[in-house]
Structures are given as structure tokens and as C-alpha cells.
Amino acid sequence: MSGSVTPAAGDAPAGAAYPVLHLQSRAYPLHHSSPRAAPEPVPVPGLGELRPVAGTLSTLAYNPDGTVEIDLTPVVGRAVSLPGTEIVACHARILTAGTILVVYALRHEQDLRALDLVALDALDAEVNRTLREADAPLLTAVLSAAVSSGLLQDIALRPDLALSGERSPVDRQSARYNCHFVTQDPPWAPDPRVPALIAGPRCRILLPYTYAWDADPAAPLDGLLAMTEPTDIAVAQQSLLIGALIAGRWVLADLAHGHPEGTDVHAFRRFLDGLWADFHHLDGYRMESTQTHRASYLAARQVIGLDDTQERADRLLGYVSNSLQAASSQRAEELDTRLNRVAAALAVVSAASFGLDIAVFLLPQVSLATKLGVVTGLIGLALSCLLAVIVPRVRRAPAVAVRRRTAARRAVRGARQAAAAAAAALPEPPVLPGAEPAGAAAVPNEG
């Protein structure tokens, strides 16, 4: 990580007054393309101008992976306040793998070392809930500005989210966060339900997503964030999978309620492509990181059940894929049925038009009432056929169906009677002199 994180824990009062530094690392999945290598200032309406700088994941031993670091401390400091707590710093770390880490550094007036693990966990949960409610509009504004300025491009969000409108693009449901307590010689023992895992030399796993670090809380924040980086990578992967599970459930619910047209199949496929690309990009951390940080990463992903979440997401998304294919086949079948009905309707209209031409040709000298009867009968027959082929066939009550069938039969019977009456009113065709004795059909005199 670069030296972009300017505030340091040592800038505050001495470590004796604040013996514990409370870090909260929140991960938001966005599935964006890699940000620009040389970011430009980002103007945020009503909040001033942010100056992102290029950085890296400092715990990688082999291939470097770039980040973009944005100092949000001035923005958050003006809008968010916590009684008895000082917000030392707030930073957004935009990872290459389509994820944003929002990291808070907090100092509490009370000595957190005097709290037991249950009280410590309750304090952390309350602080996180307050921060999430307070900074939601700020993060939304910052994200929108980053997209407008071109810093973030090609964002593939969950299908039920949008970059514009009432719904926020910050996926709060998918967000997961880590809690870090940095102090020298941490006094808290791990929860008995946490398996015995070998983490890094300074890392102690107290609960899933909760860690104690044996380090100087007054050390520069750059080094502390590098120390907690492997566990934050694991929680970033977890947030990606949680977003996939939520998206899968959303699509299944839409299909289950009979609204497949509300699901954009191509947008969902793009979302899944971004999901798995980002997840496996971060999954390379187990091979690219240094030995010390790799141990913390592997222990963190095991204690939060990352592999189990991946298996669940894989099964659910496979089921969603099959359901979308079935819905697509059903829509194609319905479209074919509609096209067949349209073709049949066109055939009926053509036949009716041909029948009218014949009636006009054969009835040149009959009365107006007879002509109207024939035309009306033919039109009624055509309309009945059109309704039969165009109107979708749905299940109706038996009584309603019987009445409609009776009415249709009466309409057809009336049309037939009108056609028979018209035919009976036709005059006998004249027989020309010299006709064949066998009674061949007479030919109209066109002379």
C-alpha cells in the first residue's frame, strides 16, 4: 500500500490514553473494471473534491495488485459523530477485483481492554450499525461521483440495484465487515466455539470476523492496514458470494411469482461473470501473498466458512441458471404460439376477403338486404374465427365456458342460415342456344 493514507494513529493523544485502536473494514462488491492507474480528482457535489492516489496491496509477494486509495476522513468527520468515540480516519480502498473496502479507525474514551468478549462484540456491532446508517448517503454520493468522473467503469451490480433512481448502488445487504482491535498484549481469549487455527504471529481470532492484533495502536495507520489486509481480503470474497446468493434468491422469487419478463437475463449473466472473475482474482491471494500474511488469510477464510459459502453459491446459481433456461424456453414457446395464431388470423382474414369478393361477383342483381345478410354473416364468421385463434386459451369456469361455446355455435349457425338464404335468392342462370345436350355448365355471355 502506498503512503496515501495520511492520518496516523500516532497523531492523536498518547497510546496510554487510548490503549486500543478499533478498526472496522467493510467490503462492498461492485464488479467494476480496473480503475485508472493515474486517478484524477473526483468532485463530489456538496462534499468538495476528493483526491484519489494509486496504491498496492502490500502483502503480495509475487505479482503486485494495484489499488486506488481515497481519504474520506474530512467528508465523514463533518457528517458522522459517535458519542465517546473519535473517528481517527476513514479510507476507501478500491481494489482491482471489483470490490471497495471502507476502513474506519476509531478510538474510544473507555478502555476496551476492561470489557469481556461479549461486551466487546456488542460494542462493535452497535458502532457498525450507527456508522452504516450515518454514512450511507455519503458513500452513495462518493460512488456516484466516482462513476461520473470515470474512476469506476463498467459496474455490474445485482439485478435489483441500479446506478440511478431511488435504490442505492451501495449494496448494503451484501456488505460484510471485519472488526480489528489493535493493542499490545491483547487480554481477550478466543471464543471456545472458534476452532484452533494457526494464524499470523500477531493475529488472534476471537470470533468470526473479529480479530485481536498484538501491535502498537499508536503506529502509523499504513502499517496497521497492511497487517489486517489478508483478513480483509477474505471478507471481501465473502461479500462477493453473499451478493451472489441475494441475487440468486431475487431472480428465483421473480420467476416463482410468474414475472420472468422482469429478469434481464443478459444483465444477470454479466453480473455472474463479474462475480466469479472478481472472486477468483481475490482467491489468488492464497498463492500470491507472503507466508506470514497467507497464514492469517487461510485462517480467516476457514473461520468465516468461505468455502462453504462458495459451495452454496455455486449450487444456487446453477439452479438459477437452469430456471432461467426453462423460463427462456417457455417464452420462446409462447412466442411461437402467438406467431402461429397471427398466421392463422391472417389466413382467416384472407379467406373472408376472398369470400366477400365471390359474394359481390355472384350477387350482382339481388336486393340490398340479401347482400347485407351475406356480408354480415361472412364478417361474423371471420370475427368468430379470429377470436378463436387470437385470444389466449385460459382456464375458465365451466358455466362461463358453456355459455361462450353456445354463443359461438349460435353465431356460426346464423351465418350459415344467412348464406343459405342468399344462395336460394339467386336467379336461375340463363342457358345459351346450342348448349350441349349432356347439360354442360353454361358460360356467361360476355358479348
Side-chain angles (χ1 to χ4, degrees), residues 117 126 134 293-294 305 382 433:
L117 186 57
E126 182 61 29
H293 295 90
R294 187 182 307 164

Side-chain angles (χ1 to χ4, degrees), residues 222-284:
D222 280 343
L224 298 180
L225 294 185
M227 178 181 64
T228 61
E229 194 171 82
T231 58
D232 293 340
I233 295 296
V235 82
Q237 288 184 276
Q238 186 81 320
S239 69
L240 291 171
L241 297 179
I242 296 299
L245 291 172
I246 295 175
R249 294 199 301 266
W250 180 83
V251 172
L252 285 181
D254 203 29
L255 294 175
H257 289 85
H259 303 291
E261 66 279 355
T263 302
D264 190 342
V265 178
H266 300 292
F268 187 68
R269 177 193 56 80
R270 183 167 171 261
F271 167 78
L272 293 184
D273 290 343
L275 161 75
W276 292 119
D278 294 336
F279 178 83
H280 289 290
H281 184 112
L282 292 175
D283 205 53

Side-chain angles (χ1 to χ4, degrees), residues 19 83 111 165 185 249:
D111 189 354
D185 192 15
R249 294 199 301 266

Side-chain angles (χ1 to χ4, degrees), residues 407-426:
R409 285 197 295 268
R410 289 177 181 173
V412 174
R413 190 183 305 115
R416 289 177 180 174
Q417 291 175 356
L426 291 175

Side-chain angles (χ1 to χ4, degrees), residues 25-162:
S25 301
R26 207 184 307 160
Y28 291 99
L30 290 178
H31 312 296
H32 52 75
S33 61
S34 299
R36 297 194 306 264
E40 299 176 356
V42 177
V44 183
L47 299 177
E49 189 177 73
L50 301 177
R51 298 185 176 275
V53 296
T56 58
L57 295 179
S58 60
T59 56
L60 296 178
Y62 302 100
N63 301 310
D65 198 359
T67 64
V68 173
E69 312 285 335
I70 303 178
D71 184 7
L72 301 178
T73 308
V75 175
V76 172
R78 292 194 301 264
V80 181
S81 62
L82 294 171
T85 303
E86 176 191 358
I87 300 178
V88 179
C90 178
H91 296 277
R93 306 189 65 195
I94 305 176
L95 307 184
T96 302
T99 310
I100 294 181
L101 291 174
V102 178
V103 184
Y104 277 91
L106 310 169
R107 290 194 184 98
H108 301 272
E109 292 180 356
Q110 61 176 322
D111 189 354
L112 300 186
R113 295 180 302 179
L115 301 178
D116 59 11
L117 186 57
V118 175
L120 192 68
D121 180 64
L123 172 68
D124 170 70
E126 182 61 29
V127 169
N128 180 261
R129 188 179 304 111
T130 303
L131 289 177
R132 289 181 66 183
E133 293 296 332
D135 66 16
L138 300 178
L139 296 182
T140 300
V142 171
L143 175 61
S144 300
V147 173
S148 301
S149 64
L151 179 62
L152 297 179
Q153 299 176 356
D154 302 326
I155 293 181
L157 295 170
R158 273 176 20 205
D160 58 330
L161 297 174

Side-chain angles (χ1 to χ4, degrees), residues 162-186:
L163 280 176
S164 60
E166 297 179 356
R167 292 174 295 183
S168 170
V170 177
D171 190 356
R172 297 183 62 192
Q173 287 185 293
S174 301
R176 290 297 179 270
Y177 80 99
N178 275 339
C179 166
H180 308 282
F181 296 101
V182 181
T183 184
Q184 293 179 335
D185 192 15

